[in-house]
Amino acid sequence: MDDDFKKAAEFHGHICPGLAMGYRVAKYVREHYPRSEDEELVCIAENKSCSVDAVQSLLGCTAGKGNLILVDNGKQVFTVYSRANDKALRIYFKGNVFKRMDVLRQKLARGELGPEEKKEMEGLRAQVIEDILGAKDEDMLSVNEVNIPAPERARIHPSLECQECGEAFMEILGRTAGGKVLCKDCYEKMVC
Ligand SMILES: [Zn+2]
Ligand SMILES: [Zn+2]
């Protein structure tokens, strides 16, 4: 296990197949672009799963910096745009490593998983992680260079104080109702 994977696991909280998938994607990207200290890279992730955490850890594309955009299509697709190159890599994790696991998971959900299969499932998880970490790039990843418009940079907006709850919020997300300037939360409580 290399240091990058260890760090990703620490960040994510556990080691799992999804994390391993994200790690492979991020590792590949790092061979082309350096880690994003600031907003040099922008990652558009088409899922909200464990793999995204490996991307945050390895690539420095994070929710907090605004250079991680989640578009939940339930697909293991990551498009990573490099501002320095004005180019993006679209990477689809194609390794079909979950086939057997999916069968067992469905059985588990139906309460039909026998003791033998339970054991198999435990072993399978470790096996899948090992397979993902050990496979060649070309067997796991489908990579295309794509042209996408440069994503907008994260912006900092001034704060306003909500006239209902008194908490400060980002001006651009404000609402008005009943002659008051409100945070979104208070607006929804009042109007919706
Ligand atoms: Zn996980
Ligand atoms: Zn408020």
Side-chain angles (χ1 to χ4, degrees):
M1 208 190 288
D2 81 350
D3 273 358
D4 285 330
F5 191 64
K6 264 189 218 159
K7 268 187 215 159
E10 229 165 75
F11 173 67
H12 183 53
H14 62 233
I15 291 171
C16 64
L19 189 75
M21 286 161 68
Y23 165 83
R24 288 304 303 263
V25 170
K27 202 77 178 166
Y28 182 87
V29 172
R30 281 251 302 263
E31 284 167 21
H32 296 81
Y33 307 138
R35 190 176 191 281
S36 191
E37 298 303 329
D38 190 20
E39 289 182 63
E40 300 89 339
L41 299 179
V42 179
C43 177
I44 301 151
E46 292 186 31
N47 67 85
K48 284 190 202 164
S49 71
C50 296
S51 57
V52 176
D53 279 356
V55 165
Q56 296 200 76
S57 172
L58 263 81
L59 293 183
C61 293
T62 68
K65 280 193 291 188
N67 60 342
L68 172 67
I69 299 163
L70 299 177
V71 181
D72 195 8
N73 296 329
K75 283 168 93 171
Q76 290 296 333
V77 172
F78 298 86
T79 302
V80 182
Y81 174 83
S82 158
R83 290 196 191 279
N85 299 278
D86 189 27
K87 269 187 191 140
L89 291 175
R90 182 187 189 273
I91 304 174
Y92 166 57
F93 186 93
K94 65 179 175 182
N96 194 359
V97 289
F98 293 107
K99 241 184 192 164
R100 178 68 185 146
M101 217 176 199
D102 282 343
V103 172
L104 295 177
R105 271 188 193 142
Q106 274 164 18
K107 277 193 156 182
L108 179 71
R110 290 197 302 264
E112 293 169 4
L113 200 69
E116 283 293 304
E117 287 170 325
K118 214 170 237 176
K119 228 185 239 168
E120 188 194 343
M121 202 167 163
E122 279 158 25
L124 206 56
R125 195 179 147 86
Q127 186 59 52
V128 166
I129 293 169
E130 218 180 289
D131 288 351
I132 294 171
L133 294 179
K136 289 185 193 142
D137 281 341
E138 55 266 37
D139 292 334
M140 287 282 143
L141 309 174
S142 160
V143 183
N144 284 298
E145 207 175 272
V146 291
N147 280 315
I148 60 166
E152 219 184 298
R153 284 179 187 274
R155 274 189 292 172
I156 296 170
H157 297 276
S159 290
L160 278 182
E161 199 172 283
C162 173
Q163 291 179 294
E164 186 67 21
C165 69
E167 292 179 351
F169 64 90
M170 202 188 271
E171 185 181 67
I172 196 169
L173 293 175
R175 304 281 190 275
T176 54
K180 282 182 174 177
V181 174
L182 303 170
C183 73
K184 214 172 138 194
D185 190 32
C186 288
Y187 174 82
E188 276 163 12
K189 278 178 196 155
M190 198 175 275
V191 174
C192 301

